[in-house]
Amino acid sequence: MRSAVVVGAGVGGLAVAGALARSGWQVTLLERAERVRPEPTAVVLWPNGVRALQALGLGAGLAAIATPLPDGGVRRPDGQWLVQPRPIPADRMPVVVHREDLHDALIAGLGDRVELRTGVTVRHVRVEPGERPGVSDGRHTIEADLVVAADGTDSGIRRQLAPESRVVSSGCAAWRAVIPWYQAPRLPDDQPLAGEILGAGYRFVAASLGERGSSGGSTRGGIYWVATAAGAPRPEPPETQLALLRRWYAGWPAPVGALLDATDPADLVQQEVRELRPLPRAYGFPVGPGGVVLLGDAAHAMPPHLGQGACLAFEDAATLASLLREARLPDAVQAYDRVRRPRAATVVRQTRRMSAVLQTRGRLALRARDAALGTINSRLLSSAAASAAQWRPPT
């Protein structure tokens, strides 16, 4: 029986661990935290992420927890439309999913061939020629045919195998929260919710998780919002951070103020937006009879502006699982590298272009951006949407 060690129990690690186990592998899943639990927020999945989950055998579970996310257009802080909402073809419409619901679906897909060990910090990966790959926490070494580094942006395995790739700040911070339906404000029927409001270095996006009072959609329904602001994360407690957000977004179109007022500080999640520069020169490393691969944020951490972080992690997992069914292990590792590096580079390039648009500062630059945003935004989003819609797992 082939064996794998998956380092990191985020969405990518859970997805690939379950996929390998369902293919007959014996999997050891290592997580540095003492408990495996997701953020109480949500995630947007574009068609490529949905298709990857379907390829992994998790499509049925996703359908029960996902809410379609229509195009809400782009507005300025004064309410003026920069890009009017447009209909999205069904095959290009993203969905929004509560992270806890997604986590539950991924945990349910692990099966009994996955041994989960928490509180384990991997400090070293063994890649000596002629030997099986392995990982060590400094006291014990675990060997396997395959090591999957899904240990996130601060991956210790990537630092050892691809030291040229460094984590840098993207120049902004993000705040996210889900307001459960029982405390969410009631909004007029004609008031847009799903959409984007774009200012000078500030951005606000909101979407519905299921319908108010409905048993369908997410089992943890509500209103999900994300606020992005240029600068470093704030050190203050959540109550003060919320007060700052209300000040920064004062006067922005409804329902921004109502959503911030309805948010419980305990539900607020702040995150520094970081990325890898440059991307690793390789995602697959043949080692003896097996190999090591980088997956998810360990391979291609990027700003969240196009919502592709989780989607690319699921693509990685689906691609790896497919290649391992069709090829010898060292060949599959090399094929994974050949397939995933150009794909990740394309998405990261699109994301960085969008990041430059979103972080425009200065009166003249803003005026030029707003004048051209319909064209720029449409072109970037159309390219990203087409890329997301066209991706298929390898066969």
Side-chain angles (χ1 to χ4, degrees):
M1 179 184 298
R2 294 187 292 181
S3 61
V5 173
V6 177
V7 183
V11 293
L14 291 172
V16 75
L20 293 177
R22 290 189 294 276
S23 297
W25 289 62
Q26 186 64 45
V27 181
T28 302
L29 178 58
L30 306 178
E31 168 58 39
R32 70 167 65 96
E34 294 296 334
R35 292 180 58 192
V36 178
R37 56 184 178 185
E39 293 178 350
T41 60
V43 60
V44 173
L45 297 178
W46 288 81
N48 54 319
V50 173
R51 195 171 291 119
L53 285 173
Q54 291 170 341
L56 292 166
L58 299 171
L62 177 65
I65 58 177
T67 303
L69 184 61
D71 180 17
V74 184
R75 291 178 287 165
R76 295 194 329 192
D78 62 7
Q80 179 179 333
W81 286 105
L82 294 170
V83 181
Q84 290 279 351
R86 292 169 296 178
I88 304 177
D91 65 342
R92 293 192 178 186
M93 183 174 291
V95 298
V96 60
V97 184
H98 200 292
R99 283 186 177 269
E100 292 177 354
D101 289 335
L102 181 60
H103 176 266
D104 290 349
L106 294 171
I107 288 289
L110 290 180
D112 58 5
R113 290 183 183 272
V114 177
E115 178 190 1
L116 173 60
R117 303 182 190 177
T118 59
V120 179
T121 299
V122 171
R123 304 185 186 281
H124 179 76
V125 57
R126 188 175 69 192
V127 290
E128 281 76 16
E131 295 192 33
R132 297 176 76 206
V135 296
S136 171
D137 64 355
R139 296 175 301 171
H140 308 289
T141 298
I142 304 174
E143 292 185 346
D145 300 306
L146 176 69
V147 172
V148 180
D151 47 345
T153 303
D154 295 309
S155 170
I157 294 178
R158 185 199 61 248
R159 284 198 298 269
Q160 181 179 336
L161 298 180
E164 75 282 357
S165 186
R166 299 182 178 275
V167 180
V168 300
S169 172
S170 298
C172 59
W175 290 261
R176 302 188 303 277
V178 172
I179 307 171
W181 283 127
Y182 69 85
Q183 68 184 57
R186 290 197 171 273
L187 307 175
D189 292 339
D190 60 348
Q191 187 173 98
L193 176 61
E196 178 177 332
I197 307 174
L198 188 59
Y202 294 86
R203 182 191 190 203
F204 195 95
V205 183
S208 293
L209 280 165
E211 295 182 7
R212 189 189 298 266
S214 171
S215 59
S218 171
T219 60
R220 297 176 173 93
I223 298 176
Y224 170 54
W225 63 260
V226 183
T228 308
R234 304 296 305 195
E236 297 89 350
E239 294 83 359
T240 306
Q241 292 178 30
L242 260 180
L244 286 171
L245 290 173
R246 294 187 187 107
R247 184 192 310 166
W248 293 341
Y249 292 92
W252 281 45
V256 174
L259 296 180
L260 292 174
D261 288 341
T263 300
D264 188 324
D267 295 329
L268 187 67
V269 176
Q270 178 189 216
Q271 177 187 18
E272 181 183 16
V273 179
R274 300 180 298 158
E275 59 189 285
L276 292 180
R277 285 182 180 263
L279 293 177
R281 288 195 293 263
Y283 288 166
F285 306 84
V287 180
V292 181
V293 299
L294 304 179
L295 184 146
D297 284 347
H300 38 65
M302 69 189 83
H305 306 313
L306 292 179
Q308 283 293 323
C311 295
L312 278 194
F314 293 141
E315 282 189 24
D316 292 344
T319 300
L320 182 61
S322 176
L323 293 171
L324 289 170
R325 287 193 296 267
E326 303 298 332
R328 292 174 54 251
L329 185 48
D331 295 336
V333 170
Q334 292 178 321
Y336 174 83
D337 180 57
R338 288 195 305 270
V339 171
R340 294 311 297 163
R341 271 194 299 118
R343 168 62 175 168
T346 296
V347 176
V348 168
R349 185 166 56 250
Q350 292 171 336
T351 300
R352 288 175 180 169
R353 288 172 180 167
M354 181 60 73
S355 184
V357 171
L358 297 178
Q359 295 188 43
T360 301
R361 306 293 292 273
R363 183 181 300 175
L364 293 178
L366 278 170
R367 189 174 299 167
R369 183 203 67 182
D370 289 352
L373 187 60
T375 301
I376 295 172
N377 196 66
S378 297
R379 186 169 63 247
L380 281 172
L381 290 180
S382 295
S383 176
S387 178
Q390 292 168 4
W391 179 85
R392 297 289 189 280
T395 57

